[in-house]
Amino acid sequence: MVESIARVRHIRVTPQKARRVVALIKGKQAEEALAILKFAQQSASEPIYKLVASAIANARVKADAAGEFFDEQDLFVKNAFVDEGTTLKRFQPRAQGRAFQIKKRTSHITVVLATPEVAETAPAQSKKASK
């Protein structure tokens, strides 16, 4: 019955590289996702690891505030996505007085963790609303 969201903004990882890592953990159990990210070789796996750990902590706090039973083993990655952040534009000198533009891209990463009960009840509520 718990759903938690964690976001990180302006991470200095290109969105294309971060999406490759996020695709590894979609739909997995939260603990399994942490294990995958811990041993992934991509540089984007470190901030995403911290983000999933933060989402687990957010779920724990949310369950404590609501007085609900909480078990980390039940959490799974319901949704995870990467949006493009601001692009830092830098210039590098080139031959004959020219300048070459370097685009340093950033990412906004969002991870949504949920327990199976939330995932099953959410579509049922949307069906009732559409009738």
Side-chain angles (χ1 to χ4, degrees):
M1 301 290 280
V2 177
E3 181 174 313
S4 68
I5 299 172
R7 289 186 183 96
V8 64
R9 301 183 70 213
H10 304 291
I11 289 293
R12 274 287 293 121
V13 175
T14 65
Q16 184 176 8
K17 292 177 182 177
R19 284 184 188 114
R20 289 177 49 207
V21 177
V22 165
L24 295 173
I25 63 168
K26 278 188 184 178
K28 301 267 197 279
Q29 293 285 338
E31 296 294 326
E32 183 183 354
L34 287 176
I36 290 170
L37 291 170
K38 187 172 185 175
F39 296 106
Q41 293 183 352
Q42 292 87 350
S43 64
S45 62
E46 182 183 349
I48 296 173
Y49 177 90
K50 290 181 179 181
L51 189 64
V52 173
S54 175
I56 292 171
N58 290 347
R60 185 180 303 114
V61 169
K62 198 170 184 181
D64 288 345
E68 297 177 1
F69 174 73
F70 177 72
D71 186 15
E72 289 183 14
Q73 303 296 327
D74 293 340
L75 287 175
F76 73 99
V77 180
K78 180 180 176 184
N79 196 4
F81 54 91
V82 179
D83 295 325
E84 189 171 335
T86 56
T87 300
L88 305 173
K89 296 180 177 119
R90 302 292 182 256
F91 291 95
Q92 180 179 13
R94 302 297 288 198
Q96 298 180 358
R98 294 186 177 95
F100 179 72
Q101 188 176 24
I102 298 173
K103 294 182 180 178
K104 297 187 175 193
R105 301 182 189 275
T106 62
S107 302
H108 301 324
I109 306 170
T110 304
V111 173
V112 180
L113 298 182
T115 55
E117 298 88 45
V118 171
E120 293 169 3
T121 57
Q125 291 173 353
S126 63
K127 288 179 184 176
K128 289 178 184 177
S130 65
K131 287 185 180 179

